[in-house]
Amino acid sequence: MAPLLLVVYWSGALLYVACFVLSLLAVREFYGVFGADSAASPAAGGGFVSRRAKPIRWIAYAGAAFLYGALFLADPLDVPIGSVLALWAFLTVALSLVCLFRTGKYTLADAMITMTGVFYVIFFLFHAALIVYFFPVGSAGNTWIRFENPLWLVIFAAFGSDIFAYFAGSLMGKHRLCPNISPKKTVEGAIGGVVGSAALCGAFGDFAVPGFVVNSIIVGVLGGLVSQAGDLAASVIKRQTGVKDYGNLIPGHGGVLDRIDSVLFTAPTVFYYIYFAQCPGISQM
Amino acid sequence: MAPLLLVVYWSGALLYVACFVLSLLAVREFYGVFGADSAASPAAGGGFVSRRAKPIRWIAYAGAAFLYGALFLADPLDVPIGSVLALWAFLTVALSLVCLFRTGKYTLADAMITMTGVFYVIFFLFHAALIVYFFPVGSAGNTWIRFENPLWLVIFAAFGSDIFAYFAGSLMGKHRLCPNISPKKTVEGAIGGVVGSAALCGAFGDFAVPGFVVNSIIVGVLGGLVSQAGDLAASVIKRQTGVKDYGNLIPGHGGVLDRIDSVLFTAPTVFYYIYFAQCPGISQM
C-alpha cells in the first residue's frame, strides 16, 4: 500500500509506469487461473471450458505497451487518445481471432479469455492513467494540485469502502449479501462501505476543489458501489475457475489482482464521472 | 446487395439506421451458434465450452442502441464520440461480469461470448457509421461528396476482393491457403483478391478526391488483406462451434453475418487508415 500512495502522490509519468507494470502482473495472474487445471475441472469448481486454456499472452503484453506508449506520444503527435483506444480495441479483437487461423493451436475459448483479460484488466486499470492524463496535476490553469489529484477518489472509493465494509459488517452484519460468491459479506457491510466511501470522498472534495463537494459525494457513492461489485467480480472469476487466489506475490494477501480488484471498477467510474460531469480542470478526450 | 448500395449512396442517418439493424441481426446470429447444441459437442466440431452457451443478449442490444444513439446526440451535447466508445466498452465488460453474480444462471463462458459478440460484431460494424460521422458526405468545406463517400472503399475492399479472389482462384488456383479452415481458398485467389481490391480502390480514389490515389491504393491493399482475414475469422468461428452457416435469412446465402463477415474487418481498417493518415475532410475524434 505505502509505495502505491507515494506513486499517486507523485503522479505523472511515474504513475503511468506503475500502472503499466501492475497491468502486466495482473493480466499474467488473470491468464494463470484459466491455464490452471482447475479451470477445466467441474470437480474443482471450474469446468465451463473443456480443457486448460492457452491465452494468447503476447496480445495482452504488446497491447499494454501500445496503450501506455500512446500516453507519451499522443500529445506530441496531436492524436486524440480516444482514437488510440478505439484502434487498440479493434486490433486486440482482430488479432485474437486471426491467431485461430493456425488450426489446432488455439480454441475460441483461448481467444475469448485473451480478450477478456485485455479489457477487464488492462483497459480498466488504464483509466487510472487516463485520470492523470486528462486532469494533470499541478499544470498551469488547473485547479487540481498534487494533493488534490482526483486519483485519490479512486483510492478512497476502493480501499475506503473495503475498510468501512469490513468494520460495518463485523459490528452489525446480519443479512448475507451473496452467500454463494463471497460467504462473509453482509448487506450491512455493503451499506457501511458505500457510506464510508461517500464520507471519505466528500471530505476529500471539500478539501481539494472549491465547489466540488456534492460531485465528490456522488463519486463516493458510485465508487463505493462499484468497488464492491469489482470485489465480487474477481470472486466470481476465481470461483468459476476453481482457484482461491490469483497469485501469491504478497504472502498471505494473494496476488496483485486480489489487491486491485476494486480499483479495476472504481478507476473507470471516477474517470467517466469527472469527465462527463465536466468537473474542474478537464480537457477534451 | 442492391439495397445496401443505395444505403451507402444516401449515407447519413439512413446509414446509421441500416448499420444498427444489421448489428442486431448479426449479433443475434453470432449468439445463436454458441447457443446451439453443436457448440458444446466435440463430435459436431465444437466442444471448447462444456455446455450450450446462454449469451446475455440484452447487453448487446442495449449497447448497440446506446452506441448508435450517441451518433445523434454527440454533436448537440458536445461529447467526443471517443469518450462515448470508451464508456460503452467499460459498461459492456463490467455488466457482463456483474450478471454472473446471480449464481448458477450464467457461466464465465456466457459472459465472454457476450463480450466477444459485442466487440466483434457491434463494435466492428460501428466503424461503417463512424466513417460517415467523421467524413460527412456533402457537408460544407468537405471534399467528399455523395458518390465520393469513403464508405465505398469498404464496399470495394470487402466485396471486390471476394469477387476477384473467386475468379483468380478459379482460373489459377493451385496452392491451398488454409485447408483446415476454408478448403476451397487458394494462395493465388488471395493474391488476386488483394490486387483487385487495390485496383478498385485506386480507381475510386482517382475519381473521388484529387491527390488521394496513392492513399486509396494503400487502403485497397490493406482492405483486401483484412477482408479475407475477416472471411476466415467467420469460418473459424463456425468451424469451432460446429455450424455451417450463421443463419438462413437469405436462402442459399446463409445469414447476415455470412454476408458481412468481410465488412466487419474492412470497415475499421478503412476508418483508421483515413483517420490517422489525415486524409482530406477528416474531423477530430
Side-chain angles (χ1 to χ4, degrees):
Chain A
M1 276 302 284
L4 183 68
L5 296 182
L6 265 178
V7 166
V8 173
Y9 175 76
W10 285 106
S11 194
L14 182 63
L15 190 116
Y16 295 165
V17 173
C19 285
F20 175 60
V21 173
L22 278 180
S23 284
L24 298 184
L25 292 173
V27 82
R28 193 168 162 274
E29 290 178 354
F30 181 84
Y31 289 152
V33 302
F34 289 93
D37 284 324
S38 58
S41 152
F48 65 92
V49 282
S50 56
R51 66 159 177 76
R52 288 173 54 181
K54 276 192 295 186
I56 314 162
R57 291 164 197 271
W58 70 265
I59 290 181
Y61 301 152
F66 178 88
L67 211 49
Y68 283 91
L71 288 177
F72 292 97
L73 291 173
D75 277 349
L77 293 179
D78 192 23
V79 172
I81 204 84
S83 62
V84 175
L85 270 171
L87 171 62
W88 167 84
F90 164 61
L91 290 175
T92 298
V93 177
L95 287 174
S96 300
L97 292 173
V98 166
C99 284
L100 301 178
F101 293 176
R102 281 173 65 184
T103 323
K105 186 157 170 68
Y106 297 114
T107 68
L108 257 172
D110 297 332
M112 293 193 298
I113 288 164
T114 304
M115 295 179 215
T116 306
V118 169
F119 288 114
Y120 168 58
V121 179
I122 297 176
F123 175 60
F124 278 27
L125 190 57
F126 188 64
H127 289 84
L130 283 180
I131 289 175
V132 174
Y133 182 82
F134 282 103
F135 319 103
V137 173
S139 62
N142 195 324
T143 45
W144 303 92
I145 57 164
R146 199 169 291 283
F147 259 123
E148 286 88 33
N149 188 342
L151 209 56
W152 291 112
L153 292 170
V154 175
I155 301 288
F156 288 137
F159 300 108
S161 71
D162 246 27
I163 295 166
F164 275 82
Y166 177 77
F167 284 110
S170 305
L171 290 173
M172 299 177 286
K174 273 199 182 116
H175 303 84
R176 295 282 192 78
L177 185 65
C178 45
N180 293 312
I181 304 174
S182 204
K184 284 188 190 159
K185 290 205 166 48
T186 60
V187 176
E188 291 78 5
I191 295 169
V194 173
V195 172
S197 166
L200 278 174
C201 290
F204 168 80
D206 187 43
F207 160 77
V209 182
F212 190 61
V213 190
V214 177
N215 275 320
S216 55
I217 291 174
I218 300 174
V219 167
V221 171
L222 291 175
L225 284 170
V226 300
S227 163
Q228 302 185 51
D231 197 329
L232 289 175
S235 298
V236 159
I237 294 170
K238 285 185 278 191
R239 205 154 269 262
Q240 291 210 14
T241 51
V243 301
K244 203 188 155 289
D245 280 327
Y246 277 115
N248 200 21
L249 197 85
I250 315 153
H253 287 82
V256 172
L257 200 43
D258 295 296
R259 293 290 91 199
I260 63 166
D261 52 9
S262 304
V263 175
L264 292 184
F265 273 56
T266 50
T269 304
V270 170
F271 173 75
Y272 293 114
Y273 186 86
I274 307 187
Y275 186 84
F276 286 109
Q278 304 272 313
C279 294
I282 67 145
S283 55
Q284 285 282 63
M285 192 164 220
Chain B
M1 275 302 282
L4 184 68
L5 297 182
L6 265 178
V7 166
V8 173
Y9 175 76
W10 284 107
S11 195
L14 182 64
L15 191 115
Y16 296 164
V17 174
C19 286
F20 175 61
V21 173
L22 277 179
S23 284
L24 298 185
L25 292 173
V27 83
R28 193 169 162 272
E29 290 178 356
F30 181 84
Y31 290 151
V33 302
F34 288 93
D37 284 323
S38 58
S41 152
F48 65 92
V49 282
S50 56
R51 67 158 176 77
R52 289 172 55 179
K54 275 192 294 187
I56 314 162
R57 291 164 197 271
W58 70 266
I59 291 182
Y61 301 151
F66 178 88
L67 212 48
Y68 283 90
L71 288 177
F72 292 96
L73 291 172
D75 277 349
L77 294 178
D78 193 23
V79 171
I81 203 84
S83 63
V84 175
L85 269 171
L87 171 63
W88 167 83
F90 164 61
L91 291 175
T92 298
V93 176
L95 287 174
S96 300
L97 293 173
V98 166
C99 283
L100 301 177
F101 293 176
R102 281 173 66 182
T103 322
K105 186 155 170 69
Y106 297 114
T107 69
L108 258 174
D110 297 332
M112 293 194 299
I113 289 164
T114 303
M115 294 179 216
T116 306
V118 169
F119 288 114
Y120 167 58
V121 179
I122 297 176
F123 174 61
F124 278 27
L125 189 58
F126 187 65
H127 289 83
L130 283 179
I131 289 175
V132 173
Y133 181 82
F134 283 103
F135 319 104
V137 173
S139 62
N142 196 325
T143 46
W144 303 92
I145 56 165
R146 199 169 290 283
F147 259 124
E148 287 87 33
N149 188 342
L151 208 57
W152 290 112
L153 292 170
V154 175
I155 301 287
F156 288 139
F159 300 107
S161 72
D162 246 28
I163 296 166
F164 274 83
Y166 177 77
F167 285 110
S170 305
L171 290 172
M172 299 177 287
K174 277 205 180 113
H175 303 85
R176 294 280 192 79
L177 185 66
C178 45
N180 293 311
I181 303 173
S182 203
K184 286 188 190 161
K185 289 206 166 48
T186 61
V187 177
E188 291 78 6
I191 295 170
V194 173
V195 171
S197 165
L200 278 174
C201 291
F204 168 80
D206 186 44
F207 160 77
V209 183
F212 190 61
V213 189
V214 177
N215 276 320
S216 54
I217 292 174
I218 300 173
V219 167
V221 171
L222 291 175
L225 285 170
V226 300
S227 162
Q228 303 186 51
D231 196 330
L232 290 175
S235 298
V236 159
I237 294 170
K238 285 184 279 190
R239 206 154 266 263
Q240 291 210 15
T241 50
V243 299
K244 202 187 155 289
D245 281 325
Y246 277 114
N248 202 21
L249 196 84
I250 315 154
H253 288 83
V256 171
L257 200 43
D258 295 295
R259 293 291 89 198
I260 63 165
D261 52 9
S262 304
V263 174
L264 292 184
F265 273 56
T266 49
T269 304
V270 170
F271 173 76
Y272 292 115
Y273 186 86
I274 308 189
Y275 186 86
F276 287 110
Q278 303 272 311
C279 294
I282 67 144
S283 57
Q284 286 282 64
M285 193 165 221

